[in-house]
Amino acid sequence: MNLLRPFFRLWRSPETAAAGPEQRSGPRHVYHLQFSRTLTLAAALALLLAAGFAATPAGAEAFILVEADSGKVLRAENATYPWYPASVTKLMTLYTTLQAIKQGRVTFDTLFTVSRTAMAQSPTKMGFAVGTQVTVDNALKMMMVKSANDMAVLLAEGVDGSIENFAEDMTRTAHRLGMTESNFVNPNGLPADEQITSARDMAILARALIHDFPEYNFYWHIPAIKFGRRVVRNYNTLLGRYPGADGMKTGFICAAGFNLVATATRNGRQLIAVVMGAPSSAARAVKAAELLESGFVQNPLSWLTPALGSVNELTPISAAPPNLHDEVCGKHRKKPAADEDEDAGGENANGDNSGAFSALLSSLRAPTPKGAALLSDAGAVTPVVVYTGPTRTPAEIARLATIEPPAPHHKKKSEGKRVAKRADEKEAGGKETGGKANERKAGDAKAGDGKVSESKKAGDGKKAGDGKASAGKSWTPLSSSALAASPPSELQTKAAADAPKKKSHKAKPPLKPAPASPPASAQ
């Protein structure tokens, strides 16, 4: 019995179709031929669609989770797709500089001088003037914690003489490490079409830093730095918030989205998570934490998951990097995406978690299947002192550490000058209405609607006089009936003054104005 015969009979040739629905005779091979052609066309269409999807990442994000020791890939998505690295480029700058130190070309105490090129770099940066000298050690700390673009250029020019030479050194070293998809043209990750990497390559670089420079791992998990009175927290918001987090670096430009290379260690097992193209700094931290958690938690069904092999064995994809500018920095966003210092709340005068920074920390929570938080709020941190000029003695560094940060202050928008405020008062006096509320609290309420301006005072002496007379008293909320029965003395005075102007209401002088003015003054 031929079970496929009814199906083949659906594919009828023009000749059999013309013979009518009852026609059962005709060449059988015609049905088979048309069915074969249909299958061939469907297969070709599927290949074209697959090729189209291969040229574009399935989602505007790439990530990979790798074991630091073995290089085994635990999870991956779009991991070999080319991506703009942004400031995670500075991990390659760090590796190249540490390599120069290991080769004896420079030392941590070597002084480099800020050039005009370094000073001209876009934020974030330290902003030192041309001619300022910084040691290699301090420049590395500033670059890794504040993500200072000018310090990256300072190191590049100091190590190899120019940005171009250093970029060639970076690319050559990257290819030696197996980062076959990476190419660098600058040391800080500022936008450049030729500056390309992938999540896979960043995982390879993180493994190389861990294995080649274990004695210098301090540089990629400094919690904060202190320069003078300023305290700047690390933009890697996993440090101190995710259990076991110990590195490494963040990055952001509009075309790349928010990138993060993160490491964590538990029970002697270290994992590397790379996230590229997240929509916000909070989202990249949550995604990295989720990846790390999935690697640390034993999954009883993990044996069903196909092995992904080693990170170096993943096959690169030949394509152009996606440009996420419209998604990340487009007009649809209520608030334009900011640079790393504003996103991560890096600079904080007091080094505590106040104001908007605390609000950000509260958002860095990702629900697990049990509803627990992966990220917790961080307490106070001890910043590492950084400075310009030659290497200081331990006593001098200790003295710099004792410099107190400035008292918290806010800029009053209505007056355009800075005034001291309490730490828990975010925008007191920042708006005109808020200022008037404070005046009322101080007992300085004005007559009428409370909005008498200087120009009105100059042009209408009578009203100004009334305002001064009533400045010592404030309205008390009363019902309309109570106001009508016993209006305040100020209202009676105003009513008597206005009575000649409103001839049609002479019979009821107190009732007309009584209920109108008090609510406006009491609000």
Side-chain angles (χ1 to χ4, degrees), residues 211-255:
H211 288 89
D212 296 349
F213 304 107
E215 67 273 30
Y216 303 137
N217 62 10
F218 171 75
Y219 284 106
W220 52 81
H221 60 77
I222 300 173
I225 59 173
K226 182 178 182 181
F227 179 75
R229 293 177 178 268
R230 289 188 296 165
V231 174
V232 181
R233 300 192 69 136
N234 197 308
Y235 299 138
N236 181 1
T237 49
L238 268 67
L239 294 176
R241 299 165 183 85
Y242 179 79
D246 49 20
M248 287 198 171
K249 188 71 187 72
T250 63
F252 164 76
I253 58 173
C254 290

Side-chain angles (χ1 to χ4, degrees), residues 433-522:
T433 56
K436 290 185 177 181
N438 292 337
E439 292 176 1
R440 286 195 298 271
K441 291 180 181 178
D444 293 332
K446 298 180 180 180
D449 59 359
K451 299 181 181 178
V452 179
S453 62
E454 295 295 333
S455 59
K456 290 184 178 179
K457 289 180 181 179
D460 193 346
K462 184 177 180 180
K463 290 186 177 181
D466 292 341
K468 293 178 182 178
S470 61
K473 298 181 180 180
S474 58
W475 288 104
T476 301
L478 295 173
S479 63
S480 57
S481 59
L483 288 172
S486 180
S489 58
E490 294 89 340
L491 188 61
Q492 290 177 339
T493 302
K494 183 177 180 181
D498 293 344
K501 298 179 183 179
K502 300 180 180 180
K503 299 179 181 180
S504 59
H505 298 284
K506 285 183 178 180
K508 300 178 181 179
L511 298 180
K512 180 66 178 180
S517 297
S521 173

Side-chain angles (χ1 to χ4, degrees), residues 125-333:
K125 60 182 180 178
M126 297 301 296
F128 297 143
V130 173
T132 304
Q133 290 190 314
V134 186
T135 63
V136 171
D137 174 63
N138 282 305
L140 287 174
K141 292 172 182 175
M142 296 172 188
M143 180 186 73
M144 293 299 295
V145 176
K146 185 173 172 57
S147 196
N149 293 323
D150 51 354
M151 293 298 98
V153 171
L154 175 94
L155 291 167
E157 294 177 333
V159 171
D160 282 321
S162 68
I163 291 177
E164 293 75 17
N165 292 340
F166 191 81
E168 291 178 2
D169 197 357
M170 293 170 67
T171 303
R172 184 168 53 251
T173 302
H175 293 171
R176 177 179 61 80
L177 296 175
M179 301 168 60
T180 57
E181 295 181 277
S182 296
N183 184 74
F184 299 99
V185 295
N186 66 55
N188 48 30
L190 287 175
D193 292 340
E194 300 83 9
Q195 189 99 345
I196 299 172
T197 189
S198 67
R200 163 193 175 269
D201 280 13
M202 281 294 123
I204 293 174
L205 175 57
R207 290 191 68 220
L209 281 167
I210 293 169
H211 288 89
D212 296 349
F213 304 107
E215 67 273 30
Y216 303 137
N217 62 10
F218 171 75
Y219 284 106
W220 52 81
H221 60 77
I222 300 173
I225 59 173
K226 182 178 182 181
F227 179 75
R229 293 177 178 268
R230 289 188 296 165
V231 174
V232 181
R233 300 192 69 136
N234 197 308
Y235 299 138
N236 181 1
T237 49
L238 268 67
L239 294 176
R241 299 165 183 85
Y242 179 79
D246 49 20
M248 287 198 171
K249 188 71 187 72
T250 63
F252 164 76
I253 58 173
C254 290
F258 292 82
N259 302 340
L260 172 62
V261 179
T263 60
T265 305
R266 292 185 190 174
N267 300 321
R269 183 176 180 234
Q270 189 171 31
L271 300 180
I272 300 168
V274 180
V275 177
M276 312 286 274
S280 67
S281 60
R284 72 184 172 194
V286 169
K287 182 63 178 181
E290 185 271 331
L291 287 171
L292 293 168
E293 192 70 14
S294 68
F296 286 124
V297 176
Q298 295 295 330
N299 183 1
L301 300 178
S302 59
W303 61 276
L304 295 175
T305 305
L308 299 176
S310 172
V311 61
N312 292 78
E313 297 173 353
L314 297 180
T315 304
I317 294 177
S318 178
N323 191 325
L324 306 183
H325 185 279
D326 292 340
E327 292 83 347
V328 176
C329 301
K331 297 180 179 180
H332 65 282
R333 295 181 66 102

Side-chain angles (χ1 to χ4, degrees), residues 91-111:
L91 288 175
M92 193 71 242
T93 302
L94 173 66
Y95 188 99
T96 307
T97 303
L98 293 178
Q99 178 179 253
I101 293 173
K102 197 170 185 178
Q103 294 170 352
R105 295 159 55 193
V106 295
T107 69
F108 288 110
D109 297 328
T110 301
L111 281 170

Side-chain angles (χ1 to χ4, degrees), residues 56-136:
T56 304
E61 190 176 66
F63 63 79
I64 190 170
L65 179 67
V66 177
E67 285 184 346
D69 289 338
S70 65
K72 178 182 178 182
V73 178
L74 304 180
R75 291 178 61 183
E77 182 175 318
N78 298 324
T80 60
Y81 201 91
W83 218 273
Y84 296 119
S87 283
V88 296
T89 296
K90 297 181 176 81
L91 288 175
M92 193 71 242
T93 302
L94 173 66
Y95 188 99
T96 307
T97 303
L98 293 178
Q99 178 179 253
I101 293 173
K102 197 170 185 178
Q103 294 170 352
R105 295 159 55 193
V106 295
T107 69
F108 288 110
D109 297 328
T110 301
L111 281 170
F112 291 153
T113 304
V114 175
S115 66
R116 293 187 180 277
T117 303
M119 187 191 69
Q121 297 301 300
S122 300
T124 55
K125 60 182 180 178
M126 297 301 296
F128 297 143
V130 173
T132 304
Q133 290 190 314
V134 186
T135 63
V136 171

